[in-house]
Amino acid sequence: SYSVIEIKRAGFSRGYTVIGPGKREWSAKFPPEANTEIAASRLLWGIGYHQPPIYLLHEWTAEKATSPNPQLPARFREKDPDLNGLDAGDPWSYYQNPFVGTRQLNGLLALQAMLGNSDLKDAQNVIYELEKPLEGATRWYVARDLGQTFGRTGVLEAPRGDIEVFEATPYIRGVENGKVRFDYRGRHKALFENITPADVRWVCERLEALTDQQWKDAFRAGGFDEPEAARFIRRMKQKISEGLALKDK
């Protein structure tokens, strides 16, 4: 059982800050973004982008909750996980960071476009500090809060976790003057102006290396049923093939 200490009122999906067993503090987020965030986070982690541990808790109760128990399945992210002293610090911006112009950052942006994520404001990104190195670093620049995914980009309340929309939405419009033009309808279009076919191929090669089991596990972790997960995976693989086929122009 958990106890609510704060109610999250901003953002698309509601949620709580809760205290649970062992007096551990968690951020709990409800659907629809709970599911999409976990699946997207697993995919980013699977190809080498740092992610904090997050989990879907299917059955739980909470004292002082605004909704009756049992609570809906929720994404749980611990404030201070037992992971080499991992500690969330300041936000960072896609426009100003040590990786601007690198293949790794451009690849991440190409992946965000693939996922249909237009929620790219600074507050969604967090710098994590570690007491000792993990995965080769003591400072992680993390693209976090990935719930606005698996739908379509947009400026206001873009769909997320919508398989019909995700299947129907294009990924790449073409290549102009050596730069990829994405079907991107959200704010921050300037971030996508200088991504090359080689950048997109780079991230797609990493996604292509994921095993079928890893794909299934990512969506299972997010609580998707198998038929729906299979459709999301099929569409992702179509987009990956599209990216791999890009030629330098």
Side-chain angles (χ1 to χ4, degrees):
S1 179
Y2 295 82
S3 179
V4 176
I5 60 173
E6 185 180 2
I7 298 169
K8 176 179 176 283
R9 302 188 186 280
F12 188 87
S13 294
R14 65 188 187 87
Y16 302 132
T17 302
V18 299
I19 296 288
K23 296 187 177 178
R24 294 158 73 182
E25 184 176 324
W26 301 81
S27 164
K29 181 190 284 186
F30 290 108
E33 292 186 333
N35 313 85
T36 52
E37 179 179 337
I38 290 171
S41 175
R42 292 292 196 277
L43 294 176
L44 262 69
W45 176 80
I47 63 169
Y49 291 104
H50 298 303
Q51 289 288 294
I54 58 174
Y55 316 94
L56 187 71
L57 196 57
H58 288 272
E59 298 178 4
W60 62 293
T61 60
E63 299 173 4
K64 304 177 185 174
T66 56
S67 52
N69 287 314
Q71 299 297 309
L72 290 171
R75 182 276 279 142
F76 270 62
R77 182 180 67 221
E78 191 172 3
K79 182 180 179 183
D80 295 307
D82 184 15
L83 191 70
N84 286 23
L86 189 69
D87 187 34
D90 294 329
W92 61 274
S93 168
Y94 282 107
Y95 295 96
Q96 290 182 306
N97 64 76
F99 311 102
V100 170
T102 64
R103 184 137 294 163
Q104 289 81 1
L105 188 66
N106 286 349
L108 174 59
L109 288 165
L111 177 53
Q112 297 282 30
M114 184 186 293
L115 293 169
N117 186 10
S118 44
D119 197 6
L120 304 179
K121 56 184 178 285
D122 296 358
Q124 306 300 64
N125 298 333
V126 177
I127 299 173
Y128 279 87
E129 302 285 352
L130 294 94
E131 292 173 358
K132 54 185 178 179
L134 182 65
E135 297 175 358
T138 54
R139 175 175 288 179
W140 290 1
Y141 283 75
V142 173
R144 203 173 72 169
D145 293 308
L146 298 162
Q148 192 180 297
T149 44
F150 301 109
R152 173 179 54 72
T153 56
V155 174
L156 291 173
E157 295 192 0
R160 61 266 278 161
D162 187 324
I163 187 56
E164 305 286 345
V165 169
F166 194 65
E167 287 177 331
T169 302
Y171 174 39
I172 293 168
R173 292 291 188 185
V175 178
E176 295 177 12
N177 300 318
K179 303 295 188 289
V180 180
R181 297 293 170 244
F182 299 95
D183 184 84
Y184 183 83
R185 313 179 193 191
R187 298 184 178 91
H188 305 291
K189 287 183 176 148
L191 292 171
F192 298 88
E193 289 178 354
N194 291 301
I195 298 174
T196 66
D199 294 329
V200 179
R201 291 196 304 269
W202 179 88
V203 76
C204 286
E205 285 164 3
R206 276 144 186 80
L207 289 162
E208 188 186 35
L210 294 173
T211 66
D212 287 342
Q213 191 61 53
Q214 285 174 307
W215 281 103
K216 291 175 183 176
D217 285 346
F219 284 90
R220 179 182 52 78
F224 292 86
D225 63 40
E226 286 189 22
E228 188 176 39
R231 290 174 68 182
F232 277 115
I233 293 166
R234 187 179 311 117
R235 182 66 185 121
M236 283 293 290
K237 289 187 174 182
Q238 288 171 351
K239 293 183 180 186
I240 292 163
S241 295
E242 204 177 331
L244 290 170
L246 286 175
K247 299 287 191 290
D248 299 311
K249 294 182 181 178

